[in-house]
Amino acid sequence: CIMYRNVLVPIDCSTEARAEAHIIARYFGPMHATKITLVATISPTNDPELRQKKVQHAKTALRHIADTLYVYGVYSLSRILETDDLASALAHEITQSGENYDLVVLGQHHTRAEVEENGCVGV
């Protein structure tokens, strides 16, 4: 069994991403030393009310996924990145955060139009 110590899991806050948390949890559950960092991204806005709505939606999705992982014994951290350039934000997280990720888990990608109405940018 391959052991991963530090895994980055970007999510898009969709219902499908929440469902896929069970797959991630079952895989990483037996690896008790693995730390999962869940990352949601939101697009920037100058409207404080809209920004708060996006942040709250992302927090809810991250909390739901973190709770699912916890049930399987998987420890996770959650982060929200505010960006229009998803690829650059993830590259920066991977290379500059100091976390030394062993693995990046990418799931299904939704179009911006599908996800923007909920507040999270698709990964």
Side-chain angles (χ1 to χ4, degrees):
C1 179
I2 298 174
M3 293 298 291
Y4 298 102
R5 297 186 56 76
N6 209 354
V7 179
L8 178 66
V9 181
I11 65 161
D12 66 6
C13 302
S14 67
T15 303
E16 290 83 2
R18 295 175 192 202
E20 290 168 359
H22 291 280
I23 297 167
I24 294 166
R26 283 192 303 269
Y27 183 80
F28 291 106
M31 299 179 209
H32 299 291
T34 301
K35 179 179 74 174
I36 305 288
T37 301
L38 302 169
V39 175
T41 58
I42 61 171
S43 57
T45 180
N46 291 326
D47 180 345
E49 188 175 316
L50 179 58
R51 182 181 183 280
Q52 184 57 34
K53 180 181 175 183
K54 290 179 178 189
V55 168
Q56 188 57 48
H57 181 76
K59 283 182 178 180
T60 299
L62 289 165
R63 186 173 38 255
H64 177 68
I65 292 171
D67 289 348
T68 299
L69 296 176
Y70 185 76
V71 167
Y72 287 85
V74 179
Y75 173 72
S76 66
L77 302 171
S78 297
R79 298 198 43 188
I80 297 173
L81 305 177
E82 192 167 347
T83 183
D84 273 330
D85 186 351
L86 180 60
S88 292
L90 290 177
H92 185 268
E93 174 66 23
I94 292 165
T95 60
Q96 303 299 316
S97 68
E99 292 292 335
N100 297 319
Y101 294 109
D102 301 310
L103 180 68
V104 178
V105 177
L106 298 175
Q108 183 176 357
H109 174 22
H110 295 276
T111 64
R112 181 174 286 265
E114 289 176 44
V115 182
E116 270 301 309
E117 67 186 45
N118 292 324
C120 277
V121 177
V123 173

